[in-house]
Every structure is written in structure tokens, then in C-alpha cells.
Amino acid sequence: MTDRSRLLRGGARAVTGLLVVAAAAAGVVLLGNVPLPAVAREPLALTVDTTQNTNRSLVCAGSFSELGADPERPGAAIPVGEATVATSGAAAETATLARSAGSGLPVVVSAPMADPLASAQVQSVDSESLRGTASSSCSEPSNEQWLVGGATSLGLATTLSLGNPGTVPATVSITVFDENGEVDAVQTAGVIVAPATQQTVSLNGYAPDRERLAVRVESTGAPVAAHLGVAQSSGITPFGISGVTPQTDPATSLVIPAVENADGDGRGPNDSGEGDAFPAIVRALAPGDAGGTATVRALDQSGKSTDVGTIELAPKAVGELSIATLPAGTNALVVDADVPVIAGALGSAEDPDTREHDFEWFAPAPVIAADTEVAAPVVSGGRLVVVNPSDAEAEITIARADGKGKTTSAAVAPGAAAVISAPAGATITSSEPVHAGVRSVTETAIAGYPILAPDPRDGTLTVYPR
């Protein structure tokens, strides 16, 4: 083959290649502009019941812990006495948590998620160093929770109990807030809580000489149940004790049911002036980066709402309102704020003759959804209080959790906080969203706790399989 033939053949091949490339490019352009038939297929969605074959566990704080009970360990919290647990609903399983010292172990009750179950505890103490009655709701373990109440100033001791009913250790971070803001992180620390145990720590050691306290509890590894115990003495005379139930999330509106301040009942002017000898107190914390204002209202049985004051809130600092005289017939307090807050209210009782005194920190109650049956344990001597914040009358159905006895009903007016007769192991169902709590008040003792409805986020989950 001559050189000329080779050149002609190579040129022909090059031209052919260019024509093929041009044709392919044209085809791509045409395909891009011509609609082709498509197959549309919706993704497969499966709805899974997350409550199926699962149990809900509630942890009770156990007996009250006293600081300084052991002279050799003045910073140790030693549990004293025994708490009584009231349960509404049938517990499928009951267990206790171990701890290093003391009697009255924390109780854990469990039942299937779909079954109504709630527990609360109450304990009366009368010794040389402690006197009063403390109560709290038994709560679900959580990875984040908040508590408001107590102090570490002169005469006051505040302890934090952390219960881990799980099977793996929990690493707990404690953040303390006081009247000036968040306590220096150097003074807070992580606490390891072993499975099936409870640890109790002294907040007097974490944040001494604080007039107001709020606490955030965060855990990893396993969720925990947190409760506060507050004890006060006046000199060497016991002045009262209280238990504090945790709250899960800050909110712009909080309902604190069952509040009462009985120390001023039937009295006239006193050393504090015309108001109550020991005024009711409301504390609130805006845990975010912005401060705000919280307005506090008192609600009674008829639906009357009375503004009792405001709290100016600096970011991360515990604000306080002292209510000189709580309006007669008050059964609940509502805290409305322009930023999310957590809050608590202090009520007192005192016998005017013996001067025996007691106090209780009341915690907000979560909403009970309409037409949802919720267990409501009522301790001995306690009264159920139902708060209806809606604009419509709430029809409340009260039954026994064991199914025995007759079902009764009660009406709660719009905006009212009503005291309702209920058995010890009650369930309540409301036609409107409501909040509920229980209180027990005598001349020398006061105690109260919120009814903790199950977390409404539990339920169903949509899964898209691949």
C-alpha cells in the first residue's frame, strides 16, 4: 500500500469517527428535549407502633435524704425513714434501686406502655433535725430535665437524687443556676450512676450560699429520674421539708396545680404586715440567651383569674416573685412568659399555736390531652385538683384504675381550678385539655405533686424501607 493510500484511508476513518460523534451528540440533545415515558412509584411507608411490646417505667425518689446526719461525713446525704408509694394502675413489675446507705430504697414500677400507670410518694418526718411532709411524683427517666426549688443559704440544705433503672451506666451532667446566673462550670461535674442504682448529691457542695436554685440534669448512656429534696431549719429548730418533681421542657405557659399557702389562714396583721406571715413565692428561670417577663395569675374554683405579679427575668438567672397575700380560694397558679421558662411555687403551712411549720415546692403539670385516660394516684389525705385553661367547660370522668366501683363525673368551668373527689387509684378523662395535681394540707404539714401524663411524643413512627 502506497503512502497516498494510507493517508486516504486514515482520513476516511477520521471523518467517519467525527460523523458518529456528531450523530451521538445530536441524539443526546434530541433525547433531552423529547419527553419519555416515566414510571412513577410512591415510596413504601410503614407505620410502626413504638409502644408495642414496650414497658413504661416510673422511678420514685425513695426516702428523704438528710445532710449532716453522719458527723463523720457532714457532706453526705443519708436517707432517713420510709416513704409511702401510691400507685394508680396495675404494675406489671416492681423493683428497687440500690444505694450506698440508708433505708427506704427508691421504687421502680413498670407496666405496658398502653396501660394507664402513675405513682407518687409521700413521707412525713419528725426528728430532732427534720420535721415536715414531702411528696413528689414518680417520674419517667429522661435524658434532660429541670428542677426549680430550694436554696443552699444558711439553714437550707438541698439534695439531688439521680435514679438509673436501666441496664447500662448513666453519665449525668449537672448545671446549677442561681439568682445571678449559671454557676461557674468548674463547680459542676459529671456523676456516674450505675445500672439499677441511685446516687444522691449535695447541691450545698456544688453551689454553696445560693438564695435561689434551678437545676438542669442531662444524661448520656441511660436516662435517669431526678428529684430534689429540700430541708430547712431555723437555728436548731426544724422548719420544714419538701420534695420537688422534675419538669421536662421550658415553655411560655406553665400551669402549677394544687398550690396552697395555708400559713396565713385565719390571721390578721402580723410581723410581716397585712400579708401572710410566710408569703407564697414563685420562681422562674429563662434558660435561653434572652431574658423576658413572666406574669403570674391565681385561679380559683369558679374560674376567677387574679394577677398576682410579674417576674423580670435576666437570661439564665432565677427570678422570684413574693406574693404578699395569695387570693382566697387559690387552687393553681399560671405562669405566662414571653420566653420559654421553667418555674415552681412555694406554699407553707403553720400552726398558729404550736408554731410548727412546713413548706412545699409545687411543680408545673404537663397537659392531659382531651379524651385520654390518665392515671392519677392520690396519696392518703390528698385532694385532686384539675385545672381547665380552655374557654369551654371540661367534663371530667373519674374512675378506678382497677375497674371496680362506680364511675363519677365533675364539671370544671372555663379557666377554673377545681378540687374534685377521687379515689386513691383513680383515672381521669377530660373532654378538654387539662392539668392536674394533688395536695395534702393540715395545720402543720403541706405536700403536693403534679399528675404526670405520659409523654405525647410516644406513639407511632413512619418508616420508609429501602
Side-chain angles (χ1 to χ4, degrees):
M1 181 180 291
T2 65
D3 292 340
R4 178 181 176 84
S5 298
R6 290 191 185 95
L7 289 173
L8 289 173
R9 182 172 294 181
R13 288 175 178 172
V15 171
T16 302
L18 290 172
L19 291 173
V20 170
V21 171
V28 170
V29 172
L30 289 173
L31 286 174
N33 292 291
V34 176
L36 298 176
V39 177
R41 182 176 180 182
E42 294 291 333
L44 178 63
L46 300 177
T47 300
V48 180
D49 183 2
T50 61
T51 67
Q52 188 174 10
N53 299 323
T54 59
N55 280 352
R56 176 171 175 250
S57 295
L58 305 174
V59 180
C60 307
S63 55
F64 195 87
S65 293
E66 180 182 2
L67 284 178
D70 184 351
E72 297 183 358
R73 296 184 298 158
I78 308 299
V80 296
E82 299 277 348
T84 300
V85 175
T87 296
S88 176
E93 184 179 355
T94 301
T96 57
L97 300 181
R99 58 185 176 193
S100 59
S103 57
L105 295 177
V107 173
V108 182
V109 294
S110 303
M113 191 73 73
D115 295 347
L117 177 71
S119 293
Q121 70 166 53
V122 64
Q123 180 182 1
S124 294
V125 180
D126 192 355
S127 67
E128 291 184 0
S129 53
L130 293 177
R131 203 210 72 79
T133 299
S135 66
S136 59
S137 299
C138 305
S139 60
E140 289 187 71
S142 174
N143 292 108
E144 182 178 12
Q145 54 208 295
W146 299 82
L147 303 106
V148 175
T152 57
S153 51
L154 182 64
L156 278 153
T158 303
T159 58
L160 172 66
S161 66
L162 305 166
N164 175 13
T167 58
V168 297
T171 301
V172 181
S173 175
I174 302 168
T175 306
V176 181
F177 303 84
D178 65 11
E179 59 273 17
N180 297 313
E182 183 175 340
V183 173
D184 189 344
V186 173
Q187 299 185 53
T188 62
V191 177
I192 305 298
V193 185
T197 69
Q198 182 195 68
Q199 292 281 355
T200 301
V201 296
S202 165
L203 294 186
N204 289 59
Y206 277 86
D209 301 321
R210 264 60 179 196
E211 296 291 338
R212 311 167 192 166
L213 289 181
V215 183
R216 179 175 63 208
V217 177
E218 299 171 289
S219 66
T220 57
V224 298
H227 296 85
L228 286 183
V230 185
Q232 185 174 4
S233 60
S234 177
I236 60 173
T237 304
F239 200 65
I241 62 173
S242 172
V244 181
T245 299
Q247 45 198 297
T248 55
D249 298 302
T252 54
S253 184
L254 298 172
V255 177
I256 307 176
V259 173
E260 185 166 343
N261 198 50
D263 79 284
D265 291 356
R267 298 187 189 182
N270 52 64
D271 293 340
S272 300
E274 293 293 334
D276 295 339
F278 299 95
I281 291 174
V282 178
R283 290 181 184 167
L285 168 73
D289 295 328
T293 301
T295 301
V296 183
R297 298 181 289 123
L299 305 181
D300 67 8
Q301 184 103 5
S302 66
K304 181 181 179 182
S305 175
T306 305
D307 289 341
V308 293
T310 60
I311 309 174
E312 296 300 325
L313 299 170
K316 303 184 188 304
V318 182
E320 181 175 282
L321 168 68
S322 178
I323 305 172
T325 303
L326 198 66
T330 295
N331 289 323
L333 294 173
V334 178
V335 180
D336 294 313
D338 51 13
V339 292
V341 297
I342 58 170
L346 176 70
S348 299
E350 183 173 274
D351 187 319
D353 298 322
T354 65
R355 297 296 183 182
E356 289 186 330
H357 185 92
D358 193 20
F359 61 86
E360 181 74 315
W361 281 100
F362 295 88
V367 66
I368 298 173
D371 303 318
T372 302
E373 185 181 34
V374 170
V378 180
V379 298
S380 178
R383 302 292 304 277
L384 178 67
V385 177
V386 176
V387 184
N388 174 19
S390 70
D391 295 328
E393 183 177 83
E395 291 291 336
I396 312 297
T397 301
I398 306 103
R400 288 173 55 110
D402 59 11
K404 300 178 180 179
K406 294 182 178 180
T407 298
T408 60
S409 62
V412 181
V419 180
I420 293 176
S421 178
T427 65
I428 59 175
T429 307
S430 173
S431 62
E432 299 290 331
V434 295
H435 305 255
V438 173
R439 72 181 177 210
S440 174
V441 182
T442 67
E443 286 188 337
T444 59
I446 183 170
Y449 53 87
I451 299 299
L452 300 182
D455 190 336
R457 289 173 290 187
D458 293 330
T460 60
L461 180 68
T462 301
V463 178
Y464 297 91
R466 298 182 63 180

